[in-house]
């Protein structure tokens, strides 16, 4: 777990930094200087682009991670990487054709409820293209176990750039319309920086000849299109479908709630960058014991760290919403539901890495496609009936069943699972802390109340985790920190 702890720790710090900028953007700048409809439009453009990018990337970023280490010679690796840069054109060309011939029809459909969104069709497509190639170049560095720089670009660069453009809106330098279009430039610059970083990590000789396993690679990539589409559909579909049923300012309320809950995903996102290439290497060497060890330890440690974030969010959410305009509080139940979804991501540990790097992924992808369709149907039913809460319920229900179905399938086929006695203890600690602190507020200034309550929660939770010895890795990290603090300077 050494390299996992090192990269996960750095990636966790970077991800936290990115979320701090994201919090400043979402909760302070956007709510102050963007009209609610443009705030909602911002979320709609990005959510729609994220739904498209798996199709445009042609699944290549996952194919690189799985197969790169299987090529023995430099020449074969160079040929493989060269072709991976060209394959996404197979996914892009059909989109360009569809948009060219049906541009007016698509724009009218997008604008059926909120007229302004149709003007940003091409902005959505360009963001999707740049996001796709960013992930491809990021995978290029992942296979060399270089994840920190790419994670910085992924988590921090975009949010810092958004901060700058929002400040420009506040100063009257650019308009809100120009801010939305600036997203295209930001994603392009991020992709360009990632490409430079990838080529500095490994510069191939760009050559092309037939890969012996072309059919296998092509089939895997197609399946990864489904995988990526399912994954993004279960997360971003609700925000996109809300556009067809509610006024666009409601999407801004929903986006804030989702952003608050997404903090819980920070640990899983930090660890995933290094866990995927490591799992691929273990499977390519046939080392199933290491796969199982990584599965259990990643699940446990993520459950502990994410558990603290769950307690902090749930116990402070009512106080936190006092900082926002009153109309945003309608989405507080969304925070609870999406928090549960994000915590589930952590509980599954390296489950996705296992599925994506074995033949098991084929069955789960079709299962995921079924649940994506179920999510669409649930949204069609629940959004008209319950609005924002209905969208969150649909996402929560579809994701829960799909997530645990994947874990059960891995157990059936490989006889490994992420659950341990320590995992149960960590869940009890999270539940107990929520019960203890949820209704415990001080009659002080809101800022002071949240600060003091958060400190108490962190101390109590940390002591419980440490003295119950739930995780050797967490205890070792705490002891290392305490030893460093006690060491004479």
């Amino acid at each position: 777990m050494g390299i996992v702890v090192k990269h996960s720790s750095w990636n966790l710090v970077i991800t936290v930094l990115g979320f701090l900028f994201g919090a400043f953007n979402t909760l302070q700048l956007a709510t102050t200087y963007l009209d609610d409809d443009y705030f909602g439009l911002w979320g709609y453009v990005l959510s729609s682009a994220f739904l498209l990018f798996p199709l445009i990337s042609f699944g290549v970023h996952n194919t690189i991670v799985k197969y790169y280490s299987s090529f023995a010679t430099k020449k074969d690796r160079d040929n493989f990487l060269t072709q991976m840069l060209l394959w996404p054109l197979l996914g892009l060309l059909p989109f360009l054709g569809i948009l060219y011939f049906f541009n007016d029809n698509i724009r009218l459909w997008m604008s059926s409820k909120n007229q302004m969104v149709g003007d940003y069709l091409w902005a959505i497509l360009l963001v999707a293209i740049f996001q796709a190639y960013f992930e491809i170049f990021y995978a290029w560095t992942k296979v060399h176990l270089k994840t920190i720089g790419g994670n910085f670009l992924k988590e921090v660069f975009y949010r810092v750039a958004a901060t700058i453009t929002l400040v420009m809106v506040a100063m009257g330098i650019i308009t809100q319309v120009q801010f939305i279009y600036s997203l295209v430039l930001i994603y392009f610059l991020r992709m360009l920086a990632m490409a430079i970083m990838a080529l500095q990590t490994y510069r191939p000789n760009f050559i092309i000849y037939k890969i012996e396993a072309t059919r296998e690679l092509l089939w895997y990539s197609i399946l990864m299109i489904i995988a990526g589409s399912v994954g993004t559909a279960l997360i971003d579909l609700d925000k996109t479908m809300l556009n067809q049923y509610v006024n666009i300012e409601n999407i801004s309320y929903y986006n804030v709630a989702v952003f608050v809950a997404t903090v819980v995903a920070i640990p899983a996102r930090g660890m995933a960058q290094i866990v995927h290439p490591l799992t691929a290497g273990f499977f390519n060497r046939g080392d199933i014991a290491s796969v199982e060890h990584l599965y259990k330890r990643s699940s446990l440690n993520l459950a502990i760290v994410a558990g603290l974030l769950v307690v902090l969010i749930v116990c402070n959410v009512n106080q936190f919403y006092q900082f926002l305009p009153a109309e945003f509080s309608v989405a507080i139940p969304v925070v609870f539901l999406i928090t549960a979804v994000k915590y589930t991501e952590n509980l599954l540990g390296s489950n996705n890495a296992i599925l994506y790097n074995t033949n098991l992924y084929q069955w789960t992808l079709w299962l995921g496609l079924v649940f994506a369709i179920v999510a669409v149907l649930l949204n069609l039913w629940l959004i008209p009936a319950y609005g924002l809460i209905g969208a969150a319920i649909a996402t929560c229900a579809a994701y829960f069943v799909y997530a645990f179905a994947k874990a059960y399938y891995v157990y059936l086929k490989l006889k490994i699972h992420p659950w341990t006695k320590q995992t149960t203890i960590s869940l009890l600690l999270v539940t107990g802390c929520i019960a203890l602190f949820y209704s415990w507020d001080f009659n002080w200034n809101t800022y002071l109340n949240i600060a003091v309550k958060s400190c108490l929660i962190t101390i109590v939770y940390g002591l419980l985790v440490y003295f119950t010895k739930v995780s050797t890795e967490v205890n070792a990290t705490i002891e290392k920190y305490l030893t460093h603090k006690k060491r004479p300077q």
Side-chain angles (χ1 to χ4, degrees):
M1 289 286 291
I3 190 171
V4 176
V5 171
K6 176 183 176 182
H7 279 253
S8 296
S9 298
W10 273 106
N11 286 330
L12 180 60
V13 171
I14 290 169
T15 306
V16 168
L17 181 61
F19 269 87
L20 289 175
F21 275 102
F24 182 58
N25 295 340
T26 303
L27 308 176
Q28 183 60 44
L29 294 178
T31 54
T32 304
Y33 298 109
L34 289 183
D35 295 338
D36 287 352
D37 51 358
Y38 278 97
F39 191 179
L41 179 63
W42 179 13
Y44 175 78
V45 167
L46 293 185
S47 295
S48 300
F50 295 157
L51 285 174
L52 289 178
F53 112 79
L55 302 173
I56 293 172
S57 71
F58 206 70
V60 160
H61 52 297
N62 290 307
T63 305
I64 291 174
V65 172
K66 176 173 173 60
Y67 286 100
Y68 180 82
S69 61
S70 66
F71 291 95
T73 67
K74 182 181 185 305
K75 183 180 179 182
D76 286 343
R77 290 193 295 268
D78 291 354
N79 174 52
F80 172 67
L81 290 176
T82 302
Q83 295 201 36
M84 291 302 99
L85 290 178
L86 298 176
W87 281 19
L89 296 177
L90 296 175
L92 177 58
L93 291 176
F95 273 99
L96 295 177
I98 291 171
L99 288 181
Y100 179 79
F101 289 106
F102 301 101
N103 180 70
D104 291 339
N105 301 82
I106 295 172
R107 290 179 61 176
L108 285 173
W109 174 78
M110 291 172 59
S111 303
S112 58
K113 179 67 177 180
N114 298 294
Q115 187 173 359
M116 64 193 306
V117 300
D119 295 334
Y120 298 92
L121 174 59
W122 284 98
I124 291 170
L125 179 62
L126 289 173
V127 169
I129 293 170
F130 298 146
Q131 170 69 8
Y133 270 97
F134 170 84
E135 291 293 345
I136 291 169
F137 286 118
Y138 190 11
W140 192 309
T141 62
K142 283 181 186 178
V143 295
H144 294 93
L145 302 183
K146 304 288 186 180
T147 67
I148 296 172
N151 198 40
F152 179 84
L153 289 174
K154 184 171 185 174
E155 302 291 351
V156 178
F157 177 87
Y158 158 69
R159 293 183 172 95
V160 171
T163 301
I164 294 171
T165 51
L166 284 169
V167 169
M168 292 172 69
V169 172
M171 296 175 65
I173 298 173
I174 62 175
T175 66
Q176 296 184 74
V177 172
Q178 290 169 327
F179 167 75
I180 300 298
Y181 281 115
S182 74
L183 298 173
V184 176
L185 176 61
I186 292 170
Y187 273 81
F188 169 75
L189 293 175
R190 191 181 68 156
M191 177 203 68
L192 182 63
M194 191 69 248
I196 293 171
M197 191 177 295
L199 292 173
Q200 288 177 339
T201 300
Y202 179 77
R203 183 182 295 275
N205 295 317
F206 293 102
I207 53 176
I208 296 179
Y209 57 87
K210 188 178 186 304
I211 301 175
E212 290 186 7
T214 299
R215 171 177 279 183
E216 178 183 351
L217 295 180
L218 190 60
W219 179 239
Y220 181 82
S221 295
I222 292 172
L223 291 174
M224 286 301 101
I225 294 173
I226 301 172
S229 299
V230 167
T232 54
L234 291 175
I235 299 301
D236 288 301
L237 180 67
D238 46 8
K239 286 173 277 189
T240 302
M241 291 188 66
L242 279 169
N243 174 66
Q244 303 303 123
Y245 294 98
V246 301
N247 293 331
I248 197 165
E249 61 267 20
N250 286 277
I251 300 178
S252 67
Y253 311 151
Y254 193 85
N255 282 341
V256 169
V258 171
F259 177 82
V260 172
T262 301
V263 172
V264 179
I266 289 176
R269 289 169 66 167
M271 186 177 284
Q273 315 307 331
I274 189 64
V275 164
H276 273 269
L278 282 175
T279 302
F282 292 149
F283 274 117
N284 287 334
R285 295 192 296 272
D287 188 358
I288 192 67
S290 293
V291 172
E292 181 177 15
H293 179 75
L294 184 60
Y295 194 19
K296 291 183 181 295
R297 302 314 296 177
S298 62
S299 172
L300 173 61
N301 291 313
L302 288 174
I304 293 170
V305 178
L308 173 59
L309 298 176
V310 170
V311 178
L312 289 171
I313 289 172
V314 171
C315 293
N316 284 308
V317 67
N318 292 308
Q319 289 285 315
F320 168 78
Y321 263 82
Q322 292 183 19
F323 297 131
L324 299 175
E327 57 268 24
F328 281 79
S329 61
V330 69
I332 287 179
V334 175
V335 176
F336 298 136
L337 291 166
I338 303 301
T339 293
V341 169
K342 299 303 179 182
Y343 187 57
T344 303
E345 290 183 29
N346 290 274
L347 283 176
L348 292 181
S350 59
N351 179 267
N352 282 340
I354 292 171
L355 290 170
Y356 285 5
N357 289 285
T358 65
N359 290 330
L360 302 182
Y361 65 84
Q362 298 191 38
W363 182 85
T364 54
L365 291 185
W366 300 119
L367 177 68
L369 186 59
V370 170
F371 278 108
I373 295 172
V374 169
V376 172
L377 296 176
L378 286 174
N379 276 290
L380 289 172
W381 169 39
L382 294 172
I383 292 176
Y386 303 105
L388 305 184
I389 312 303
I393 293 172
T395 296
C396 196
Y399 187 88
F400 273 169
V401 179
Y402 176 54
F404 286 106
K406 290 191 297 182
Y408 182 65
Y409 188 65
V410 169
Y411 174 72
L412 284 179
K413 294 299 182 179
L414 300 180
K415 303 303 178 186
I416 61 176
H417 62 82
W419 206 266
T420 64
K421 180 178 69 174
Q422 288 77 14
T423 311
T424 303
I425 295 173
S426 72
L427 284 174
L428 292 175
L429 294 179
V430 171
T431 305
C433 286
I434 291 175
L436 177 63
F437 287 104
Y438 181 75
S439 300
W440 187 8
D441 287 314
F442 304 100
N443 295 319
W444 301 340
N445 172 275
T446 304
Y447 288 98
L448 187 59
N449 184 41
I450 291 177
V452 172
K453 189 175 179 180
S454 297
C455 288
L456 286 174
I457 289 172
T458 302
I459 292 170
V460 171
Y461 185 85
L463 289 173
L464 288 172
V465 168
Y466 182 76
F467 286 110
T468 54
K469 298 180 179 179
V470 180
S471 167
T472 56
E473 289 86 7
V474 171
N475 275 31
T477 301
I478 294 173
E479 289 167 1
K480 181 179 178 181
Y481 174 78
L482 294 176
T483 302
H484 175 76
K485 296 294 288 186
K486 292 178 181 178
R487 188 180 302 155
Q489 301 295 320

